[in-house]
Amino acid sequence: MSVAGMGWCSTASASDAVEFIRQTVRESGATTLTRLAVPGFRQGDRFPELVAAALEVPVFWVPENALQAVQALCLTVSQKSLQSNGFAAVAEGCALAGAGPGAWLRTPRQSDAGITCAVAEGEGVE
C-alpha cells in the first residue's frame, strides 16, 4: 500500500496539490497511490476531499494518537508545525500512520506552494 501524507496551509490550491502529489509519488518509485492520509485535527476542511477526488483515492483522516505514535519515525522536523499544532512532522506522520504497522518512508517530506507531501509504504490500516 502506497500512501501520500499531506499537510497544507490556507493559501494552497487543490490543483497545485494534485500535481505536486502526483509528482512526489512518481519520484518515490511507488507504482500506485492507495490513499491520501491527512491529519484528523483538520477534519472539516474540504481541501483534502477535493485533492483526493482528483487523485481518485480515498481520504484517510489520521487520528491524533496515531499521528503522535509515529513522530519518532519521521525524518524531518518543522518548528512551525510543532508550534502551531504540536506535531513536528505532519506529512510524514500521516503517510506512516496511514500505511500502517511496519510502514517505511519512500520519500520524506517535500514541500511546494503551501503543500507538504511524504510517501510511505506499508500493510495498511482500516
Side-chain angles (χ1 to χ4, degrees):
M1 164 175 283
S2 296
V3 177
M6 181 181 75
W8 66 98
C9 70
S10 61
T11 61
S13 82
S15 61
D16 287 346
V18 169
E19 289 310 309
F20 180 58
I21 291 167
R22 282 185 178 144
Q23 174 187 340
T24 304
V25 169
R26 188 172 45 253
E27 290 174 358
S28 78
T31 55
T32 304
L33 182 62
T34 309
R35 65 170 53 146
L36 179 65
V38 296
F41 63 79
R42 302 273 316 252
Q43 202 154 7
D45 188 330
R46 291 204 40 190
F47 186 78
E49 299 288 347
L50 297 171
V51 173
L55 292 168
E56 299 180 342
V57 296
V59 172
F60 179 74
W61 293 95
V62 178
E64 288 187 47
N65 62 337
L67 187 55
Q68 186 61 49
V70 297
Q71 289 298 293
L73 302 174
C74 297
L75 302 177
T76 65
V77 173
S78 166
Q79 289 301 321
K80 182 178 177 183
S81 177
L82 189 57
Q83 290 173 355
S84 68
N85 60 48
F87 296 100
V90 171
E92 289 178 3
C94 286
L96 288 165
W104 56 278
L105 285 173
R106 278 189 163 276
T107 302
R109 178 189 71 204
Q110 307 292 306
S111 60
D112 184 57
I115 303 135
T116 58
C117 178
V119 180
E121 287 287 328
E123 299 299 316
V125 294
E126 292 304 314

